[in-house]
mmCIF file of all heavy atoms in Angstrom:
data_model
loop_
_atom_site.group_PDB
_atom_site.id
_atom_site.type_symbol
_atom_site.label_atom_id
_atom_site.label_comp_id
_atom_site.label_asym_id
_atom_site.label_seq_id
_atom_site.Cartn_x
_atom_site.Cartn_y
_atom_site.Cartn_z
ATOM 1 N N LEU A 118 -6.779 -26.672 -2.099
ATOM 2 C CA LEU A 118 -7.349 -25.333 -1.928
ATOM 3 C C LEU A 118 -6.318 -24.444 -1.238
ATOM 4 O O LEU A 118 -6.491 -24.025 -0.098
ATOM 5 C CB LEU A 118 -8.632 -25.400 -1.075
ATOM 6 C CG LEU A 118 -9.731 -26.328 -1.590
ATOM 7 C CD1 LEU A 118 -10.833 -26.477 -0.550
ATOM 8 C CD2 LEU A 118 -10.308 -25.795 -2.897
ATOM 9 N N PRO A 119 -5.239 -24.143 -1.949
ATOM 10 C CA PRO A 119 -4.116 -23.471 -1.276
ATOM 11 C C PRO A 119 -4.460 -22.067 -0.771
ATOM 12 O O PRO A 119 -3.792 -21.557 0.114
ATOM 13 C CB PRO A 119 -3.049 -23.411 -2.374
ATOM 14 C CG PRO A 119 -3.801 -23.520 -3.647
ATOM 15 C CD PRO A 119 -4.999 -24.381 -3.359
ATOM 16 N N GLY A 120 -5.493 -21.448 -1.328
ATOM 17 C CA GLY A 120 -5.834 -20.090 -0.882
ATOM 18 C C GLY A 120 -6.684 -20.069 0.373
ATOM 19 O O GLY A 120 -6.961 -19.008 0.918
ATOM 20 N N ILE A 121 -7.116 -21.228 0.819
ATOM 21 C CA ILE A 121 -8.045 -21.287 1.950
ATOM 22 C C ILE A 121 -7.291 -21.494 3.260
ATOM 23 O O ILE A 121 -6.485 -22.413 3.377
ATOM 24 C CB ILE A 121 -9.039 -22.453 1.764
ATOM 25 C CG1 ILE A 121 -9.734 -22.347 0.411
ATOM 26 C CG2 ILE A 121 -10.037 -22.499 2.916
ATOM 27 C CD1 ILE A 121 -10.860 -21.382 0.364
ATOM 28 N N GLU A 122 -7.591 -20.631 4.201
ATOM 29 C CA GLU A 122 -6.996 -20.769 5.526
ATOM 30 C C GLU A 122 -8.006 -21.476 6.419
ATOM 31 O O GLU A 122 -9.178 -21.121 6.429
ATOM 32 C CB GLU A 122 -6.678 -19.379 6.054
ATOM 33 C CG GLU A 122 -6.116 -19.327 7.449
ATOM 34 C CD GLU A 122 -6.230 -17.915 8.022
ATOM 35 O OE1 GLU A 122 -6.526 -16.991 7.235
ATOM 36 O OE2 GLU A 122 -6.064 -17.751 9.223
ATOM 37 N N LEU A 123 -7.546 -22.484 7.160
ATOM 38 C CA LEU A 123 -8.457 -23.242 8.023
ATOM 39 C C LEU A 123 -8.281 -22.827 9.471
ATOM 40 O O LEU A 123 -7.157 -22.667 9.944
ATOM 41 C CB LEU A 123 -8.180 -24.742 7.890
ATOM 42 C CG LEU A 123 -8.433 -25.341 6.514
ATOM 43 C CD1 LEU A 123 -8.185 -26.846 6.547
ATOM 44 C CD2 LEU A 123 -9.848 -25.049 6.052
ATOM 45 N N GLN A 124 -9.419 -22.623 10.143
ATOM 46 C CA GLN A 124 -9.380 -22.322 11.570
ATOM 47 C C GLN A 124 -10.107 -23.442 12.291
ATOM 48 O O GLN A 124 -11.277 -23.697 12.014
ATOM 49 C CB GLN A 124 -10.080 -20.992 11.834
ATOM 50 C CG GLN A 124 -9.129 -19.902 12.225
ATOM 51 C CD GLN A 124 -9.844 -18.600 12.501
ATOM 52 O OE1 GLN A 124 -11.069 -18.557 12.509
ATOM 53 N NE2 GLN A 124 -9.081 -17.552 12.708
ATOM 54 N N LEU A 125 -9.433 -24.088 13.211
ATOM 55 C CA LEU A 125 -10.002 -25.259 13.869
ATOM 56 C C LEU A 125 -10.433 -24.915 15.283
ATOM 57 O O LEU A 125 -9.675 -24.311 16.040
ATOM 58 C CB LEU A 125 -8.955 -26.380 13.896
ATOM 59 C CG LEU A 125 -8.387 -26.750 12.521
ATOM 60 C CD1 LEU A 125 -7.355 -27.866 12.643
ATOM 61 C CD2 LEU A 125 -9.506 -27.168 11.576
ATOM 62 N N HIS A 126 -11.666 -25.257 15.615
ATOM 63 C CA HIS A 126 -12.188 -24.998 16.958
ATOM 64 C C HIS A 126 -12.617 -26.310 17.585
ATOM 65 O O HIS A 126 -13.569 -26.933 17.114
ATOM 66 C CB HIS A 126 -13.410 -24.072 16.886
ATOM 67 C CG HIS A 126 -13.099 -22.699 16.384
ATOM 68 N ND1 HIS A 126 -12.843 -21.637 17.224
ATOM 69 C CD2 HIS A 126 -12.988 -22.213 15.132
ATOM 70 C CE1 HIS A 126 -12.600 -20.560 16.510
ATOM 71 N NE2 HIS A 126 -12.680 -20.877 15.237
ATOM 72 N N GLU A 127 -11.945 -26.709 18.643
ATOM 73 C CA GLU A 127 -12.389 -27.898 19.359
ATOM 74 C C GLU A 127 -13.519 -27.493 20.293
ATOM 75 O O GLU A 127 -13.361 -26.610 21.127
ATOM 76 C CB GLU A 127 -11.231 -28.503 20.156
ATOM 77 C CG GLU A 127 -11.663 -29.793 20.837
ATOM 78 C CD GLU A 127 -10.532 -30.463 21.592
ATOM 79 O OE1 GLU A 127 -9.359 -30.260 21.232
ATOM 80 O OE2 GLU A 127 -10.834 -31.193 22.558
ATOM 81 N N LEU A 128 -14.670 -28.116 20.117
ATOM 82 C CA LEU A 128 -15.856 -27.749 20.889
ATOM 83 C C LEU A 128 -16.557 -29.021 21.337
ATOM 84 O O LEU A 128 -16.611 -29.998 20.588
ATOM 85 C CB LEU A 128 -16.823 -26.935 20.025
ATOM 86 C CG LEU A 128 -16.341 -25.572 19.530
ATOM 87 C CD1 LEU A 128 -17.245 -25.068 18.422
ATOM 88 C CD2 LEU A 128 -16.304 -24.581 20.679
ATOM 89 N N VAL A 129 -17.127 -28.984 22.531
ATOM 90 C CA VAL A 129 -17.931 -30.138 22.945
ATOM 91 C C VAL A 129 -19.224 -30.115 22.133
ATOM 92 O O VAL A 129 -19.672 -29.060 21.685
ATOM 93 C CB VAL A 129 -18.226 -30.118 24.455
ATOM 94 C CG1 VAL A 129 -16.919 -30.275 25.218
ATOM 95 C CG2 VAL A 129 -18.939 -28.842 24.854
ATOM 96 N N SER A 130 -19.808 -31.309 21.943
ATOM 97 C CA SER A 130 -20.933 -31.456 21.015
ATOM 98 C C SER A 130 -21.994 -30.388 21.209
ATOM 99 O O SER A 130 -22.492 -29.806 20.253
ATOM 100 C CB SER A 130 -21.568 -32.834 21.193
ATOM 101 O OG SER A 130 -20.615 -33.826 20.968
ATOM 102 N N GLY A 131 -22.346 -30.139 22.492
ATOM 103 C CA GLY A 131 -23.422 -29.199 22.763
ATOM 104 C C GLY A 131 -23.148 -27.806 22.229
ATOM 105 O O GLY A 131 -24.078 -27.101 21.797
ATOM 106 N N ASP A 132 -21.904 -27.384 22.234
ATOM 107 C CA ASP A 132 -21.583 -26.025 21.791
ATOM 108 C C ASP A 132 -21.546 -25.887 20.280
ATOM 109 O O ASP A 132 -21.579 -24.776 19.750
ATOM 110 C CB ASP A 132 -20.212 -25.603 22.345
ATOM 111 C CG ASP A 132 -20.246 -25.458 23.865
ATOM 112 O OD1 ASP A 132 -21.363 -25.451 24.414
ATOM 113 O OD2 ASP A 132 -19.170 -25.341 24.465
ATOM 114 N N GLN A 133 -21.461 -27.004 19.586
ATOM 115 C CA GLN A 133 -21.236 -26.922 18.143
ATOM 116 C C GLN A 133 -22.375 -26.235 17.411
ATOM 117 O O GLN A 133 -22.144 -25.367 16.565
ATOM 118 C CB GLN A 133 -21.049 -28.331 17.570
ATOM 119 C CG GLN A 133 -19.809 -28.997 18.093
ATOM 120 C CD GLN A 133 -18.889 -29.456 16.983
ATOM 121 O OE1 GLN A 133 -18.592 -28.679 16.086
ATOM 122 N NE2 GLN A 133 -18.473 -30.683 17.059
ATOM 123 N N SER A 134 -23.613 -26.609 17.750
ATOM 124 C CA SER A 134 -24.704 -26.047 16.956
ATOM 125 C C SER A 134 -24.869 -24.556 17.236
ATOM 126 O O SER A 134 -25.198 -23.796 16.335
ATOM 127 C CB SER A 134 -26.010 -26.801 17.218
ATOM 128 O OG SER A 134 -26.503 -26.494 18.494
ATOM 129 N N GLU A 135 -24.563 -24.155 18.474
ATOM 130 C CA GLU A 135 -24.629 -22.719 18.733
ATOM 131 C C GLU A 135 -23.526 -21.989 17.973
ATOM 132 O O GLU A 135 -23.747 -20.935 17.386
ATOM 133 C CB GLU A 135 -24.504 -22.444 20.231
ATOM 134 C CG GLU A 135 -24.874 -21.006 20.564
ATOM 135 C CD GLU A 135 -24.470 -20.603 21.972
ATOM 136 O OE1 GLU A 135 -24.407 -21.489 22.841
ATOM 137 O OE2 GLU A 135 -24.218 -19.401 22.181
ATOM 138 N N ALA A 136 -22.321 -22.553 17.987
ATOM 139 C CA ALA A 136 -21.200 -21.930 17.271
ATOM 140 C C ALA A 136 -21.507 -21.835 15.778
ATOM 141 O O ALA A 136 -21.183 -20.857 15.114
ATOM 142 C CB ALA A 136 -19.929 -22.740 17.497
ATOM 143 N N LEU A 137 -22.185 -22.871 15.287
ATOM 144 C CA LEU A 137 -22.557 -22.873 13.874
ATOM 145 C C LEU A 137 -23.589 -21.778 13.614
ATOM 146 O O LEU A 137 -23.494 -21.036 12.637
ATOM 147 C CB LEU A 137 -23.137 -24.248 13.523
ATOM 148 C CG LEU A 137 -23.129 -24.690 12.063
ATOM 149 C CD1 LEU A 137 -21.722 -24.628 11.508
ATOM 150 C CD2 LEU A 137 -23.666 -26.113 11.968
ATOM 151 N N HIS A 138 -24.519 -21.672 14.540
ATOM 152 C CA HIS A 138 -25.598 -20.706 14.371
ATOM 153 C C HIS A 138 -25.076 -19.270 14.422
ATOM 154 O O HIS A 138 -25.452 -18.431 13.610
ATOM 155 C CB HIS A 138 -26.656 -20.917 15.453
ATOM 156 C CG HIS A 138 -27.838 -20.027 15.306
ATOM 157 N ND1 HIS A 138 -28.698 -20.107 14.226
ATOM 158 C CD2 HIS A 138 -28.298 -19.007 16.079
ATOM 159 C CE1 HIS A 138 -29.629 -19.186 14.351
ATOM 160 N NE2 HIS A 138 -29.406 -18.501 15.465
ATOM 161 N N THR A 139 -24.209 -18.974 15.373
ATOM 162 C CA THR A 139 -23.713 -17.601 15.510
ATOM 163 C C THR A 139 -22.679 -17.247 14.450
ATOM 164 O O THR A 139 -22.310 -16.085 14.310
ATOM 165 C CB THR A 139 -23.046 -17.396 16.884
ATOM 166 O OG1 THR A 139 -21.945 -18.295 16.987
ATOM 167 C CG2 THR A 139 -24.017 -17.649 18.014
ATOM 168 N N GLY A 140 -22.178 -18.234 13.735
ATOM 169 C CA GLY A 140 -21.218 -17.932 12.689
ATOM 170 C C GLY A 140 -19.781 -18.077 13.148
ATOM 171 O O GLY A 140 -18.864 -17.790 12.388
ATOM 172 N N LEU A 141 -19.579 -18.497 14.410
ATOM 173 C CA LEU A 141 -18.197 -18.730 14.860
ATOM 174 C C LEU A 141 -17.534 -19.769 13.978
ATOM 175 O O LEU A 141 -16.365 -19.648 13.620
ATOM 176 C CB LEU A 141 -18.193 -19.193 16.326
ATOM 177 C CG LEU A 141 -16.822 -19.603 16.876
ATOM 178 C CD1 LEU A 141 -15.899 -18.392 16.933
ATOM 179 C CD2 LEU A 141 -16.941 -20.248 18.248
ATOM 180 N N ILE A 142 -18.302 -20.798 13.634
ATOM 181 C CA ILE A 142 -17.766 -21.817 12.730
ATOM 182 C C ILE A 142 -18.669 -21.915 11.496
ATOM 183 O O ILE A 142 -19.858 -21.599 11.549
ATOM 184 C CB ILE A 142 -17.637 -23.196 13.408
ATOM 185 C CG1 ILE A 142 -19.004 -23.650 13.943
ATOM 186 C CG2 ILE A 142 -16.622 -23.144 14.537
ATOM 187 C CD1 ILE A 142 -18.970 -25.050 14.521
ATOM 188 N N ASP A 143 -18.054 -22.316 10.390
ATOM 189 C CA ASP A 143 -18.796 -22.462 9.139
ATOM 190 C C ASP A 143 -19.234 -23.896 8.915
ATOM 191 O O ASP A 143 -20.151 -24.158 8.138
ATOM 192 C CB ASP A 143 -17.914 -22.045 7.955
ATOM 193 C CG ASP A 143 -17.447 -20.622 8.069
ATOM 194 O OD1 ASP A 143 -18.311 -19.747 8.217
ATOM 195 O OD2 ASP A 143 -16.223 -20.387 8.014
ATOM 196 N N LEU A 144 -18.544 -24.802 9.573
ATOM 197 C CA LEU A 144 -18.747 -26.212 9.295
ATOM 198 C C LEU A 144 -18.492 -26.968 10.594
ATOM 199 O O LEU A 144 -17.579 -26.629 11.345
ATOM 200 C CB LEU A 144 -17.740 -26.669 8.225
ATOM 201 C CG LEU A 144 -17.945 -28.011 7.560
ATOM 202 C CD1 LEU A 144 -19.230 -28.001 6.738
ATOM 203 C CD2 LEU A 144 -16.749 -28.329 6.674
ATOM 204 N N ALA A 145 -19.322 -27.963 10.868
ATOM 205 C CA ALA A 145 -19.145 -28.720 12.108
ATOM 206 C C ALA A 145 -19.070 -30.204 11.803
ATOM 207 O O ALA A 145 -19.777 -30.712 10.924
ATOM 208 C CB ALA A 145 -20.296 -28.441 13.069
ATOM 209 N N LEU A 146 -18.194 -30.887 12.514
ATOM 210 C CA LEU A 146 -18.162 -32.349 12.484
ATOM 211 C C LEU A 146 -18.962 -32.804 13.693
ATOM 212 O O LEU A 146 -18.512 -32.645 14.830
ATOM 213 C CB LEU A 146 -16.725 -32.857 12.589
ATOM 214 C CG LEU A 146 -15.765 -32.424 11.484
ATOM 215 C CD1 LEU A 146 -14.363 -32.937 11.757
ATOM 216 C CD2 LEU A 146 -16.253 -32.974 10.148
ATOM 217 N N VAL A 147 -20.179 -33.309 13.470
ATOM 218 C CA VAL A 147 -21.079 -33.590 14.595
ATOM 219 C C VAL A 147 -21.678 -34.989 14.524
ATOM 220 O O VAL A 147 -21.767 -35.603 13.462
ATOM 221 C CB VAL A 147 -22.254 -32.579 14.618
ATOM 222 C CG1 VAL A 147 -21.754 -31.205 15.001
ATOM 223 C CG2 VAL A 147 -22.970 -32.559 13.282
ATOM 224 N N ARG A 148 -22.094 -35.416 15.707
ATOM 225 C CA ARG A 148 -22.871 -36.647 15.785
ATOM 226 C C ARG A 148 -24.335 -36.300 15.566
ATOM 227 O O ARG A 148 -24.767 -35.209 15.920
ATOM 228 C CB ARG A 148 -22.733 -37.267 17.179
ATOM 229 C CG ARG A 148 -21.313 -37.564 17.620
ATOM 230 C CD ARG A 148 -20.694 -38.647 16.769
ATOM 231 N NE ARG A 148 -19.316 -38.915 17.178
ATOM 232 C CZ ARG A 148 -18.474 -39.689 16.498
ATOM 233 N NH1 ARG A 148 -18.868 -40.257 15.358
ATOM 234 N NH2 ARG A 148 -17.248 -39.888 16.915
ATOM 235 N N PRO A 149 -25.125 -37.243 15.044
ATOM 236 C CA PRO A 149 -26.555 -36.985 14.895
ATOM 237 C C PRO A 149 -27.188 -36.816 16.278
ATOM 238 O O PRO A 149 -26.597 -37.253 17.275
ATOM 239 C CB PRO A 149 -27.087 -38.252 14.215
ATOM 240 C CG PRO A 149 -25.880 -38.965 13.695
ATOM 241 C CD PRO A 149 -24.732 -38.557 14.555
#
Side-chain angles (χ1 to χ4, degrees):
Chain A
L118 304 171
I121 306 280
E122 177 197 348
L123 296 183
Q124 250 181 6
L125 305 180
H126 295 265
E127 184 178 334
L128 296 165
V129 295
S130 302
D132 293 347
Q133 295 236 49
S134 72
E135 193 193 332
L137 202 55
H138 184 65
T139 61
L141 174 66
I142 58 175
D143 301 305
L144 193 65
L146 300 177
V147 290
R148 303 294 179 189

